[in-house]
Amino acid sequence: MRIGTLKTSYGADEALFDSSVQRGLLVLLALGAVAFPFVASPYWLFLACLCAINVASATGLNLLTGYTGLVSLGQAAFMSVGAYAVAVLEIRLGTPFLLNLLIGAALAAVIGILVGIPSLRVKGLYLAIATIAASVILHFLFSHWSLTGEARGLSMPPASLFGYVIDQPFTLYWLIMPVTCLMVLGAANLLRTRIGRAFIAIRDRDISAEVLGIPLLRYKLTSFAISSFYAGLAGGLWAYFFRVVTPESFPLVNSIFYLAAIIVGGMGTILGGILGAVFMTLVPELLKFAANWLTPIYPDALAALAPVRTIVFGGLIVGFLIFEPRGLAEIWRRVRRFFHLWPFRT
Amino acid sequence: MSLARADMAARPILEVSGLSLAFGGLRALSDVSFTVPEEAITAVIGPNGAGKTSLFNTISGFYRPQAGSIIFAGENLQGVRAPQRAARGLARTFQNIALFRGMTVLDNIKLGRHAHMRTGVLDALLYWGRAQKEELELRAEIEERIIDFLEIQHIRDAAVGTLSYGLQKRVELARALAMRPRILMLDEPVAGMNREETEDMARFILDVKEEWGVTILMVEHDMGMVMDISDHVVVLNFGQVIASGTPREVQGNEAVIAAYLGSGDVGEIARRIKAEAA
Ligand SMILES: Nc1ncnc2c1ncn2[C@@H]1O[C@H](COP(=O)(O)OP(=O)(O)OP(=O)(O)O)[C@@H](O)[C@H]1O
Ligand SMILES: [Mg+2]
């Protein structure tokens, strides 16, 4: 049980994790993340990497949609920009992988800014459609351009550091997990500053944001840039993880997946992006598990997996929108609150 | 009071001349001219629909006037967009409170400082050096200068949506003060408040003028308060300035009394004007 913390200085009050219990939990979590690859099977390592990549991308989308209120269905397309850039650089130039990742992310950010330009005039559904249009154009470009391998796509060599090849889930984990952690930390930091406040102000009331001295277009484009930078970086990690990038690697459905992740997790909270992305990544695995288990009773279970997966995703989105619009993060908050005051009050 | 009157001779910080604004066929403002002397309280009064809020919206840059000019601190604001006007020290509150209801009181107030901060995206992602220094300085200044001053310590961490109307008005004033205003435009700061809240707000407004040296331009229907604290009154009716001067001069003006009587529902206000004058 812990009740009321007395804040002693503004610095402590402004800290990201403002209680010793929170900091303790965080240390435990970090230790767990470090120990994980030594105890987990390659399958679980694979899932952990996939979760981390999705967390990175969902966190970016959360900044744009959850915090700035601009709905985008282009997150997967922005990821494809990062992935292709990384693949091309790795194949053609063999430049260091960190540099490739940054270039891919920067390129995605530039494309994001271009796609975001209509956001001053159009909102909601219309903006979402504009981002779909951009996705279609990018897909067309990548599947017809010789540099990006046209319809066949690109197979690329693995990342390497001083001759050490990073191609196994175990080693990839040490690349992907730290980068994702830094990205999430960066997003949390951003939200403590005037930039994060400006995003929220634009989401909640863009007219009065202007009167407070916030130029709308600049901040909407900044949000697009950061969000697609995150997508590009996640796409680059994805490319090093799978090492094959094709036009079908990042279908529109994936953009819906990220939107679903932040809705289920909780829009406009950092924790929501994390929980939602992990949850949505693991749901198909759970279904697979259930199907395997059902096969002896119902032999067609595995065949039904794909349609069932889509239905479950749809059901989750609708269910959360209706019953828990603030997502898993809110459920987590309630659980924490319960233990916070337990056993005195429930 | 007589000293404050002398201020009126001071150089105006805001000069509105020949301002006209129409919504389709409706002329919300016609040829409006007046000046706002520095470090004084100027009140804009007039019956409902007279164009007071439209005037504020034009000054803060929401509406583009069809004619006329607005000179603020010697600079013509034509072509200067709303965010830049805010950055130059033009702060305001809204008739129907425009706070961010989901944010805490503290975050709402911090938003006011936006235009004066320098933190860029990279600083923000790292939250190191400049970003951190700026945030902590802002926090300290808000606590010491604004939160203490407006007596809102107890609600600093509350979500704005949970607060009473009177407190929300006070938080909106706090946010406007965080903007480092040179002129503070208040659209009906005490509307819907009870007697006690009204007196508190009047005291805050006077203190802002006297302690902060901020010029105040306010729209208000509460004639008691207008007559008590303003140094200068401008009367609008049907989008036109029908009178201006000291509260005493305006009170006795027949056109003003006629305007209020003519507007029907404000007989009560006209009576209060007479009572104040007596
Ligand atoms: N955005 C707008 N579009 C069309 N007409 C408008 C708009 N804003 C205001 N008006 C009209 O302009 C006139 C002046 O309105 P305004 O809100 O400025 O009056 P006001 O003096 O602030 O009144 P109140 O005391 O009721 O607040 C009214 O007739 C109003 O209907
Ligand atoms: Mg009004």
Side-chain angles (χ1 to χ4, degrees):
Chain A
M1 187 227 52
R2 62 197 182 90
I3 290 179
T5 40
L6 200 70
K7 311 270 168 60
T8 45
S9 77
Y10 304 138
D13 200 19
E14 296 282 322
L16 212 46
F17 303 99
D18 56 359
S19 76
S20 52
V21 176
Q22 264 181 326
R23 276 194 294 272
L25 268 177
L26 203 72
V27 169
L28 274 183
L29 208 66
L31 287 178
V34 169
F36 182 76
F38 296 100
V39 295
S41 67
Y43 169 73
W44 280 104
L45 271 175
F46 171 88
L47 278 185
C49 290
L50 202 57
C51 282
I53 291 170
N54 287 337
V55 165
S57 189
T59 299
L61 183 65
N62 207 359
L63 289 176
L64 180 67
T65 303
Y67 284 96
T68 321
L70 301 170
V71 179
S72 162
L73 282 171
Q75 197 70 352
F78 297 138
M79 283 179 79
S80 73
V81 173
Y84 271 110
V86 161
V88 168
L89 288 168
E90 191 66 54
I91 293 167
R92 304 254 161 166
L93 303 176
T95 33
F97 71 88
L98 278 179
L99 182 68
N100 299 345
L101 284 172
L102 283 178
I103 293 176
L107 204 60
V110 171
I111 307 272
I113 291 174
L114 293 178
V115 173
I117 288 174
S119 66
L120 189 67
R121 289 292 148 97
V122 299
K123 275 183 208 161
L125 189 60
Y126 298 98
L127 182 61
I129 290 172
T131 60
I132 293 177
S135 311
V136 173
I137 294 170
L138 285 170
H139 181 272
F140 180 85
L141 179 76
F142 291 139
S143 55
H144 288 82
W145 194 7
S146 59
L147 184 70
T148 54
E150 295 164 0
R152 282 168 293 109
L154 300 169
S155 310
M156 58 184 276
S160 65
L161 189 65
F162 309 122
Y164 185 81
V165 178
I166 304 174
D167 62 348
Q168 296 303 312
F170 181 84
T171 42
L172 282 162
Y173 180 90
W174 295 107
L175 165 63
I176 293 169
M177 196 52 95
V179 172
T180 296
C181 287
L182 287 178
M183 290 166 78
V184 170
L185 187 65
N189 280 338
L190 189 82
L191 293 165
R192 304 201 267 168
T193 66
R194 69 169 189 149
I195 295 174
R197 289 192 294 268
F199 286 172
I200 299 173
I202 290 171
R203 176 191 70 192
D204 289 352
R205 242 177 216 278
D206 56 7
I207 299 292
S208 48
E210 274 203 294
V211 176
L212 295 174
I214 299 167
L216 295 186
L217 184 61
R218 175 166 356 135
Y219 276 89
K220 286 182 176 179
L221 294 185
T222 302
S223 186
F224 260 101
I226 297 172
S227 166
S228 41
F229 185 92
Y230 272 52
L233 202 46
L237 293 173
W238 192 96
Y240 279 120
F241 190 58
F242 288 102
R243 300 226 311 276
V244 180
V245 183
T246 75
E248 305 320 313
S249 302
F250 300 97
L252 191 59
V253 168
N254 284 19
S255 290
I256 298 174
F257 171 91
Y258 292 113
L259 200 58
I262 61 171
I263 290 173
V264 168
M267 286 215 253
T269 61
I270 287 292
L271 186 65
I274 301 172
L275 293 179
V278 171
F279 184 76
M280 295 297 278
T281 312
L282 296 183
V283 162
E285 299 304 316
L286 276 176
L287 289 178
K288 228 184 275 172
F289 189 74
N292 278 328
W293 188 72
L294 278 173
T295 312
I297 315 161
Y298 177 59
D300 290 338
L302 274 173
L305 201 58
V308 166
R309 203 180 81 164
T310 314
I311 293 168
V312 168
F313 274 5
L316 279 172
I317 297 175
V318 174
F320 269 93
L321 281 177
I322 295 174
F323 298 110
E324 190 55 82
R326 293 161 79 185
L328 292 169
E330 177 66 19
I331 296 176
W332 166 246
R333 224 177 51 84
R334 277 206 297 271
V335 169
R336 225 184 46 181
R337 204 175 150 63
F338 176 81
F339 285 106
H340 196 82
L341 298 169
W342 187 82
F344 291 119
R345 249 199 294 157
T346 53
Chain B
M1 265 307 178
S2 60
L3 262 181
R5 292 287 137 74
D7 279 345
M8 285 181 49
R11 162 176 82 86
I13 186 169
L14 186 74
E15 298 176 63
V16 172
S17 38
L19 207 62
S20 294
L21 175 76
F23 299 109
L26 182 95
R27 295 186 66 93
L29 299 173
S30 350
D31 197 20
V32 170
S33 302
F34 66 97
T35 59
V36 178
E38 196 156 17
E39 287 181 44
I41 298 178
T42 301
V44 177
I45 64 170
N48 292 104
K52 305 178 296 294
T53 299
S54 303
L55 174 67
F56 269 28
N57 284 342
T58 313
I59 295 173
S60 53
F62 278 150
Y63 298 154
R64 194 170 307 164
Q66 277 81 28
S69 69
I70 302 164
I71 314 272
F72 175 57
E75 181 193 12
N76 191 329
L77 290 184
Q78 190 172 20
V80 180
R81 302 172 67 93
Q84 277 74 42
R85 293 185 191 197
R88 283 166 172 64
L90 212 79
R92 71 173 285 189
T93 65
F94 291 81
Q95 186 169 351
N96 41 10
I97 306 178
L99 290 168
F100 301 97
R101 299 174 56 84
M103 284 190 199
T104 64
V105 167
L106 201 52
D107 278 341
N108 266 284
I109 301 174
K110 284 178 180 173
L111 259 168
R113 185 53 62 83
H114 182 92
H116 297 286
M117 298 179 85
R118 297 275 74 88
T119 299
V121 171
L122 212 57
D123 300 317
L125 287 168
L126 300 173
Y127 198 73
W128 197 259
R130 175 156 64 181
Q132 189 174 21
K133 185 161 158 279
E134 230 177 27
E135 286 300 320
L136 293 182
E137 279 171 5
L138 173 61
R139 175 70 193 270
E141 189 188 324
I142 287 177
E143 291 284 348
E144 283 148 26
R145 285 203 66 197
I146 298 176
I147 289 191
D148 282 357
F149 171 61
L150 293 177
E151 297 157 21
I152 47 178
Q153 300 88 340
H154 57 297
I155 52 163
R156 65 158 79 77
D157 292 319
V160 163
T162 64
L163 301 177
S164 73
Y165 183 79
L167 279 177
Q168 291 194 21
K169 285 257 176 199
R170 210 184 280 186
V171 173
E172 213 187 10
L173 174 63
R175 187 177 69 184
L177 285 176
M179 293 174 74
R180 295 207 174 124
R182 297 191 60 189
I183 187 167
L184 189 58
M185 302 200 293
L186 307 170
D187 198 345
E188 306 202 7
V190 303
M193 286 190 178
N194 62 32
R195 193 80 237 140
E196 192 187 339
E197 288 172 326
T198 302
E199 277 164 14
D200 282 345
M201 186 55 88
R203 180 165 54 84
F204 290 135
I205 294 173
L206 273 174
D207 286 351
V208 167
K209 179 186 87 165
E210 270 149 30
E211 290 173 26
W212 296 51
V214 172
T215 306
I216 289 169
L217 177 64
M218 73 173 181
V219 165
E220 189 44 68
H221 280 298
D222 185 321
M223 286 307 147
M225 171 164 141
V226 167
M227 296 306 157
D228 273 354
I229 71 169
S230 37
D231 303 301
H232 186 63
V233 180
V234 176
V235 189
L236 273 187
N237 193 25
F238 293 116
Q240 286 174 308
V241 177
I242 56 167
S244 70
T246 62
R248 190 164 297 274
E249 284 161 8
V250 167
Q251 273 169 344
N253 187 305
E254 284 180 12
V256 176
I257 295 167
Y260 273 100
L261 286 175
S263 72
D265 65 314
V266 220
E268 158 67 16
I269 292 174
R271 224 172 301 128
R272 294 243 307 262
I273 292 183
K274 284 202 188 112
E276 292 283 336

